[in-house]
Amino acid sequence: MKLKLTALALSALMAAGPAMAELVFPSLSYRTGPYGANGIPFADGYADYFTLLNERDGGIGGVMTRVPECETAYNTEKGVECYEATKGDNPLIYQPLSTGITYQLIPKVSADGFPLHTMGYGRTSAANGKIFEWVFNYPANYWDGASIAINYLLDENGGSLEGKKIALVYHNSAYGKEPIRTLQELAAKHGYELLEIPVDHPGQEQKSQWLQIRQQRPDFVLMWGWGVMNQVAIQEAANIRFPMENFIGVWWSGSENDVIPAGAGADGYKSLNMHNIGTDFPLYDDLKTHVYDAGMAAGAGDQMGTVLYNRGIYAAMLAAEAAKTAQEIHGTAQINAAQMRDGMEALEITEEKMAALGMPNFGPAFSVTCENHGGSGRAKIQQWDADTQTWTILTDWIDSDRSVIDPLIAADSAAYAAEAGVEERCN
């Protein structure tokens, strides 16, 4: 009994003592619910990259990383609960992978002092760092995505969309509504007609929407979908024999999960992508050695090389490089959230840096500044081959139309600043 009490006393002393140095990157993941199939590969890629850094490099700057997961089920209320449950754990950055959760967290992280990275989702005008000090959405945002899709169609149609009809099939949520204003502005500029077709959560029933498309006969369909909505939309498009080469999804509507269920009917479907695809990168050799073969892969370890797994890796890489930048700026390896924010705002991603990380040409080169939290605003177009069950990149990086997007960002961020009582910075 005496030995047992001594052991208990020692455990209590250790618990009360200072914690071991570590860098905490919470994962507000969702492995359950109607969006779990898309949340799983992202969460696996995110976790595996940090595991690699721990096993191969001894962490970041000599400090080990930790990635605690909190299940949100893509539910906004649960996402906020996860934030509240983890913010006392000295987190460096939040990446909720949900526009609904993002909108609720923006005022919270701004008040609490935690960086929020919403990579290609969330509130688009957060690209304006003069207003959104703690929020970043590099390397591109929804309005970039809408403009890139239109620029691609312009290029494919001899530089003119005059008289064309373009339908937007969108998730009837804050996420799905994000590109509407941009597409309306671009319609006025380029002379096309825009049809707005909402799909209610989770998107399993779309008969009426695709009947409308069959009746209206748009020249092109754009999609802002997520989860099962994408699968159903692609199958319905195939059912009405809509030409798949004229059907383009945003980067959240372009994973293997979206196209494989439709079989041959998905052949030719296109989507945007903010990074490259597959496993043909030196990084994967290191992942195999230090993570997969070591039995340390997250989840079932079966997602390697998929679009959303690569996106999770990409998000983790950007976070890790921002942490390294913060360590350099502040001269300490054990950085805090405020220092991490500084690293994110000074982040520079070059082709040389990506090559050194074993990820050559993985994403666009970009730099972040006080004014610009949105990155390069570039993406590529990929196309699905149903026979080979693979995506093929069709284009180089495509720029968005800054003459349209920048004024929209300025107006929306100014409205937020007025409502929230935020003063501009970076002066």
Side-chain angles (χ1 to χ4, degrees), residues 91-354:
L92 292 182
I93 181 177
Y94 282 94
Q95 302 204 44
L97 200 64
S98 159
T99 293
I101 297 173
T102 294
Y103 269 78
Q104 293 301 310
L105 290 190
I106 286 174
K108 291 180 177 293
V109 299
S110 300
D112 295 339
F114 295 114
L116 182 67
H117 184 199
T118 62
M119 186 177 75
Y121 62 95
R123 184 169 190 142
T124 295
S125 63
N128 183 0
K130 293 185 291 184
I131 300 299
F132 295 91
E133 181 177 2
W134 293 91
V135 189
F136 301 79
N137 54 17
Y138 52 74
N141 58 59
Y142 288 142
W143 298 350
D144 291 323
S147 176
I148 289 164
I150 295 302
N151 281 348
Y152 172 73
L153 291 177
L154 283 166
D155 188 61
E156 291 289 292
N157 290 272
S160 175
L161 292 174
E162 188 74 35
K164 300 291 187 181
K165 187 182 295 185
I166 300 177
L168 172 67
V169 176
Y170 66 93
H171 193 277
N172 196 13
S173 64
Y175 154 56
K177 295 173 183 177
E178 275 284 326
I180 292 176
R181 176 72 183 279
T182 305
L183 290 171
Q184 290 171 342
E185 294 286 332
L186 291 168
K189 179 175 181 176
H190 296 295
Y192 63 81
E193 178 185 352
L194 179 66
L195 302 176
E196 300 167 19
I197 303 177
V199 175
D200 289 335
H201 159 88
Q204 292 173 309
E205 177 51 57
Q206 298 182 41
K207 293 292 184 184
S208 63
Q209 287 87 348
W210 288 92
L211 175 61
Q212 182 181 352
I213 288 172
R214 187 172 67 180
Q215 292 171 339
Q216 294 288 328
R217 300 176 63 85
D219 298 282
F220 307 101
V221 174
L222 304 181
M223 178 161 67
W224 251 249
W226 188 228
V228 69
M229 172 186 162
N230 294 335
Q231 302 172 14
V232 174
I234 291 169
Q235 183 61 65
E236 291 290 350
N239 290 346
I240 68 168
R241 293 183 172 82
F242 187 83
M244 282 295 168
E245 66 273 13
N246 293 338
F247 190 6
I248 305 173
V250 70
W251 39 67
W252 301 113
S253 301
S255 75
E256 291 79 4
N257 295 332
D258 303 324
V259 286
I260 288 175
D267 189 57
Y269 172 76
K270 297 173 182 175
S271 82
L272 280 67
N273 204 335
M274 66 180 80
H275 53 77
N276 268 313
I277 55 179
T279 60
D280 191 21
F281 298 95
L283 174 74
Y284 269 97
D285 295 333
D286 287 349
L287 283 165
K288 183 177 187 302
T289 300
H290 297 283
V291 181
Y292 308 150
D293 290 351
M296 302 185 71
D302 59 349
Q303 299 293 327
M304 293 84 79
T306 63
V307 168
L308 291 173
Y309 182 88
N310 277 15
R311 193 158 301 160
I313 284 179
Y314 188 40
M317 180 273 281
L318 294 176
E321 292 307 302
K324 292 178 188 177
T325 303
Q327 290 172 335
E328 294 168 3
I329 291 172
H330 292 284
T332 178
Q334 187 62 53
I335 55 173
N336 59 31
Q339 293 166 330
M340 178 69 175
R341 194 216 69 84
D342 294 343
M344 294 176 71
E345 195 164 85
L347 181 64
E348 185 174 5
I349 298 296
T350 64
E351 177 53 34
E352 291 74 20
K353 180 176 287 187
M354 286 187 288

Side-chain angles (χ1 to χ4, degrees), residues 401-411:
D401 187 342
R402 306 314 313 174
S403 69
V404 170
I405 293 172
D406 287 346
L408 292 176
I409 288 176

